[in-house]
Amino acid sequence: MNSPTAPRPPVPPLATSSYGGDEVGLICGYLFDPEAAQQIRALGSDEAAAWLAEVAQAGGGGAAAAQGGSYLWLHFNLSNVQAERWLVRHAQLADAFFEALHEGVRSTRIERSGDDLVAVLSDLQFDFDLESSDVSTLWISVGPRLVVTARTSPLRSVDVLRTAVRAGEVPPSSTGLLEHLLRTQADVLVGIVRSVTARIDTIEDELLAGRLDHKRARLGAMRRLLVRLQRLLAPEPAALFRLLQRPPGWMAGADVDGLRGATEEFSLVLRDMQALEERIKLLQEEVAAGVNEENNRSLFVLTMVTVLALPINILAGLFGMNVGGIPLADHPHGFWVLVGVIAAFSALAAWLAFRNKR
């Protein structure tokens, strides 16, 4: 009698789960069924197409999906030209989603298109290194039975979500998956705020210690990053709040409350970023004041050198003229007499300059 086979892991790894995706650009696909024995199942593009065809034939979705049931998450790499064609052929997404893919302006927004939600979000690239250029776009379509996310560059928040799913975390619904993504995005931003805060603390300590080397450029780079992140992400909470005033009929009340909580958490992070930007601005002003003070001191020293050298230059010019009648020309101690006169005039000029300085 054969021995029983070992149980399969809850989330079998996909051979095509790399950042590049498979032949149609599918990076990962997961079928969630919170009520089944195997709550998460990884799907390839062919299996996902077959599942979508079954759902379309059965006419599933609608308000019944809000009460539970399976749903599919597909994450695509839009750098693959086959990705959009596959979505058009199999996913039956709203036209607004495909229009958003080709828009030149990628401002953050979340809006309804029929029964689906279409979102354009700004996310941080996977190799993010506190540079303002490391921000890219994530396109999302959320329906009762299908969630599609698409990007052109590897993004941090989506990768964290994939890691959580592979670890066995099962969002209860498609809206719960969107909520998880928004909370992950907020957590990533919290990490940025902490990292920037640590750098600012270091710069502030060095500034108080009097070491000013090149901190204006470092502060300027961090401020530009925070300003760009706020400009890209600030519309997101407002768009979500407007959406939650009139949610789709298939969205359950618990999902609406969860999205509202994620939105409030995101708003708090944005306020923290704004406060951090104000702190950087104050530090920049203090650094600029210190640089101006140093420049004033340097200018004063240069002025003093010029003033003290003025008697020497005047007398050297007068006695250097090759004309007759130059005084003390035949005096045996004429040189030392002139040195004394120059020293007296220099001392008088220094006294007048420093008296005005005081």
Side-chain angles (χ1 to χ4, degrees), residues 3-27:
S3 59
T5 58
R8 296 179 62 186
V11 185
L14 276 175
T16 60
S17 62
S18 63
Y19 280 125
D22 61 8
E23 65 276 3
V24 299
L26 179 64
I27 300 172

Side-chain angles (χ1 to χ4, degrees), residues 169-206:
E169 188 165 341
V170 183
S173 64
S174 58
T175 310
L177 183 71
L178 176 61
E179 176 193 345
H180 196 301
L181 179 61
L182 294 177
R183 292 187 184 275
T184 301
Q185 189 181 34
D187 291 340
V188 171
L189 293 179
V190 168
I192 293 177
V193 170
R194 290 174 179 171
S195 177
V196 174
T197 300
R199 295 190 181 194
I200 292 176
D201 290 340
T202 302
I203 292 176
E204 191 172 29
D205 292 340
E206 294 176 353

Side-chain angles (χ1 to χ4, degrees), residues 4 91 123 131 136 138 165 167 169 179 192 211 223 231-232 255 268 280 287 313 330 338 348:
D123 199 1
E131 295 292 338
S136 190
L138 177 68
V165 170
E169 188 165 341
E179 176 193 345
I192 293 177
R211 300 189 297 270
R223 187 180 176 189
R231 185 172 64 249
L232 292 173
D255 291 334
L268 289 176
I280 293 177
V287 170
N313 293 329
D330 299 324
L338 288 178
L348 177 62

Side-chain angles (χ1 to χ4, degrees), residues 28 190 264 293 324 353:
C28 65
V190 168
E264 292 173 354
E293 187 177 351

Side-chain angles (χ1 to χ4, degrees), residues 223-244:
R223 187 180 176 189
R224 285 193 299 272
L225 166 68
L226 294 177
V227 168
R228 187 181 184 206
L229 287 177
Q230 287 184 74
R231 185 172 64 249
L232 292 173
L233 300 174
E236 188 171 321
L240 269 171
F241 277 124
R242 286 194 299 269
L243 172 67
L244 295 177

Side-chain angles (χ1 to χ4, degrees), residues 5 23 29 54 59 66 72 76 117 210 221 226 243 286 331 340 348 351:
T5 58
E23 65 276 3
E54 292 178 3
L72 181 64
F76 280 90
L117 304 181
L226 294 177
L243 172 67
E286 187 171 350
H331 196 283
L348 177 62
W351 177 77

Side-chain angles (χ1 to χ4, degrees), residues 92-98 100 109-121 138-149 173-179 182 239-240 242-252 255-256 259:
Q92 298 181 355
L93 301 178
D95 293 338
F97 177 80
F98 297 104
R109 64 186 185 276
I110 301 176
E111 56 191 17
R112 286 186 59 178
S113 179
D115 282 340
D116 293 343
L117 304 181
V118 176
V120 180
L121 304 182
L138 177 68
W139 292 270
I140 306 175
S141 174
V142 181
R145 304 295 301 276
L146 176 64
V147 178
V148 173
T149 56
S173 64
S174 58
T175 310
L177 183 71
L178 176 61
E179 176 193 345
L182 294 177
L240 269 171
R242 286 194 299 269
L243 172 67
L244 295 177
Q245 297 299 322
R246 192 171 59 89
W250 52 265
M251 189 178 293
D255 291 334
V256 174
L259 277 179

